[in-house]
Amino acid sequence: MNPELASQLRDIRGLDAVPWWPPGPGWWLLAVLCIALAITLFHLARHLRRYPLGSWHRSAWRELHRLRKQAQAMPPEQLASALSELLRRIAIARVGREQAAALTGERWLAWLQEHDPAGFAWSEHGKPLLTLPYAPPDAQLAGREQLLDLVDATFAWTGRRRRSQRV
């Protein structure tokens, strides 16, 4: 070995200690995922506590969505009849058969308006629910738009907000 070259060599310096802060990008990603998971679980638990599996809410919303999608193909009297039946089933599930089953006509619409948290004017706009199912087939007592407004009001009445969008 050449002594000149050996004199140019230096001893190995020790490595600096790895700092614990700031963490690497992988740790930041893991922290964000953990926070997102915690928020999602919180909202899911709150939703399931509010609307347990097997409750009337899920089947009512599913039926409302089905009515909304098929509204253009359904005759107005059939849409009004299906919506009226669904409203009655929701009312019975919500407050019991004793309070809701005996209501008819204007008293039914007044009860809907009284128990609607959104404040929809059922007494004023809900008349097609009373007249259309029993009207002759050729009578056009209400337009499809008015019935779609009633479907949207039913979404609000059941506790689920629906944007006013036309299918």
Side-chain angles (χ1 to χ4, degrees), residues 66-126:
R66 187 190 64 78
L67 278 177
R68 186 77 167 126
K69 283 181 183 176
Q70 296 176 350
Q72 296 300 330
M74 271 187 186
E77 21 335 295
Q78 185 181 0
L79 178 62
S81 178
L83 181 61
S84 183
E85 179 185 335
L86 182 61
L87 277 168
R88 181 73 63 172
R89 286 188 354 230
I90 291 170
I92 289 172
R94 185 178 264 186
V95 297
R97 187 171 298 280
E98 297 78 27
Q99 290 183 8
L103 297 170
T104 58
E106 296 295 328
R107 284 184 31 224
W108 166 242
L109 294 178
W111 185 90
L112 282 173
Q113 186 167 343
E114 180 183 325
H115 290 86
D116 189 354
F120 183 75
W122 288 95
S123 297
E124 182 181 328
H125 301 294

Side-chain angles (χ1 to χ4, degrees), residues 50-52 54-64 90 93-94 158-160:
R50 195 173 192 188
Y51 308 113
S55 71
W56 62 268
H57 295 90
R58 294 183 192 283
S59 62
W61 291 329
R62 195 175 308 119
E63 183 70 19
L64 274 171
I90 291 170
R94 185 178 264 186
T158 58
R160 176 150 303 174

